[in-house]
């Protein structure tokens, strides 16, 4: 769950004093409904052009999506995006990150072509950027692209892209360890779940199960049993075992 990081000083120390710190803490504790309520309360309490109002809306969208309420999450992202573009700028990593997060909610709504187009656009923009945030953003966008391709029955494309994303993720251990917990937290298990989904679509059950189990275990350990991705991983495991 990536919150706005104030410039200067210790990010961790300064974050404890921001209006969104309580919503952040609730989310990371797996208390998604309370995190959403807190974030929406912060957003309502501040002027629309305030940067923390925008961040609070983004936080509310993330927490809403974690509960599996994808249409509401997309609507909340839509409310936050104009403010992010205006306050942070369209090229700041926070803005395409919001676009990527929004796009990946679209797959649950059956809006696969729209998700594919948006994730591809974000991945291209992130690849041309620099810094660890852009590298991780490119990986997250490609992960959403894998899901969109797989959902459209394009499993060979999805598998090829998932293998590339998995290799990049496995080769980024040093970068990953250098990130703060709130930067690492949101994408736990996502690459493995995307890869498992593509492999299952290709009728490669044993390989799919290994990746799905890895995704499920990672999600349980990091984001808890109630997060929508943990539920998706368990559902995929059940489908694989029942095939």
């Amino acid at each position: 769950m990536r919150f706005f990081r104030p410039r200067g000083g210790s990010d961790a120390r300064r974050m404890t004093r921001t209006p969104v710190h309580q919503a952040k803490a609730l989310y990371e504790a797996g208390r998604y409904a309370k995190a959403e309520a807190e974030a929406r309360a912060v957003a309502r309490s501040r002027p629309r052009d305030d940067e923390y109002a925008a961040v609070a809306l983004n936080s509310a969208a993330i927490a809403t999506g974690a509960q599996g309420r994808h249409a509401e999450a997309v609507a909340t992202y839509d409310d936050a995006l104009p403010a992010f573009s205006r306050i942070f700028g369209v090229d700041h990593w926070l803005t395409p990150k919001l676009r990527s997060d929004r796009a990946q909610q679209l797959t649950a709504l059956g809006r696969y072509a729209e998700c594919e187009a948006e994730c591809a656009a974000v991945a291209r923009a992130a690849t041309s950027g620099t810094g660890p945030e852009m590298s991780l953003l490119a990986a997250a966008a490609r992960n959403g692209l894998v899901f969109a391709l797989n959902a459209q029955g394009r499993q060979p494309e999805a598998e090829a892209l998932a293998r590339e994303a998995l290799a990049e993720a496995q080769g980024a251990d040093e970068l990953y360890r250098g990130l703060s917990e709130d930067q690492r937290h949101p994408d736990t298990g996502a690459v493995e779940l995307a890869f498992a989904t593509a492999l299952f679509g290709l009728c490669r059950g044993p390989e799919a199960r290994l990746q799905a189990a890895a995704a499920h275990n990672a999600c349980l350990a990091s984001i808890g049993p109630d997060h929508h991705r943990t539920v998706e991983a368990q559902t995929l495991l059940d489908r694989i075992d029942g095939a």
Side-chain angles (χ1 to χ4, degrees):
M1 189 178 188
R2 296 183 181 180
F3 290 81
F4 169 66
R5 293 185 295 165
R7 296 177 177 84
S10 165
D11 286 347
R13 186 171 61 253
R14 290 172 65 89
M15 182 57 71
T16 63
R17 298 197 295 269
T18 71
V20 295
H21 82 275
Q22 183 63 22
K24 173 182 180 291
L26 288 166
Y27 182 92
E28 292 183 351
R31 301 170 66 184
Y32 303 123
K34 289 186 178 296
E36 179 195 353
E38 173 67 20
R40 291 190 186 279
V42 171
R44 288 193 300 268
S45 71
R46 304 183 73 85
R48 291 288 293 179
D49 286 338
D50 179 83
E51 60 191 21
Y52 287 113
V55 172
L57 275 177
N58 182 53
S59 304
I62 294 170
T64 302
Q67 297 171 76
R69 294 177 13 238
H70 305 291
E72 291 176 66
V74 169
T76 306
Y77 282 123
D78 287 342
D79 287 342
L81 182 56
F84 267 61
S85 300
R86 185 170 59 252
I87 295 168
F88 303 115
V90 296
D91 296 324
H92 190 286
W93 69 270
L94 285 168
T95 303
K97 175 65 168 64
L98 185 152
R99 289 175 57 196
S100 175
D101 290 344
R102 174 189 176 277
Q104 294 182 59
Q105 295 292 316
L106 296 175
T107 57
L109 302 175
R111 295 162 65 178
Y112 306 125
E114 186 178 347
C115 176
E116 177 188 354
E118 182 71 342
C119 285
V122 171
R124 286 194 300 270
T127 300
S128 65
T130 59
E133 293 92 353
M134 285 298 190
S135 296
L136 290 170
L137 175 56
R142 283 194 293 269
N143 183 66
L145 186 55
V146 170
F147 274 103
L149 292 171
N150 192 69
Q152 294 175 81
R154 293 154 62 187
Q155 278 82 21
E157 293 175 75
E159 183 196 4
L161 189 58
R163 284 191 181 278
E164 179 183 329
L166 190 62
E168 289 178 359
Q170 290 172 336
D173 289 344
E174 183 176 347
L175 171 63
Y176 187 82
R177 287 195 299 270
L179 295 173
S180 63
E181 177 61 26
D182 64 295
Q183 287 178 296
R184 289 181 283 174
H185 195 267
D187 298 320
T188 298
V191 173
E192 293 86 351
L193 182 57
F195 196 15
T197 303
L199 289 170
F200 185 56
L202 290 164
C203 300
R204 291 162 60 179
E207 294 174 82
R209 198 187 194 290
L210 284 173
Q211 293 298 329
H216 187 251
N217 290 337
C219 290
L220 279 176
S222 182
I223 52 183
D226 298 327
H227 193 282
H228 78 89
R229 189 178 299 128
T230 312
V231 175
E232 289 172 8
Q234 182 61 63
T235 299
L236 181 57
L237 278 170
D238 293 341
R239 288 176 60 204
I240 294 169
D241 290 342

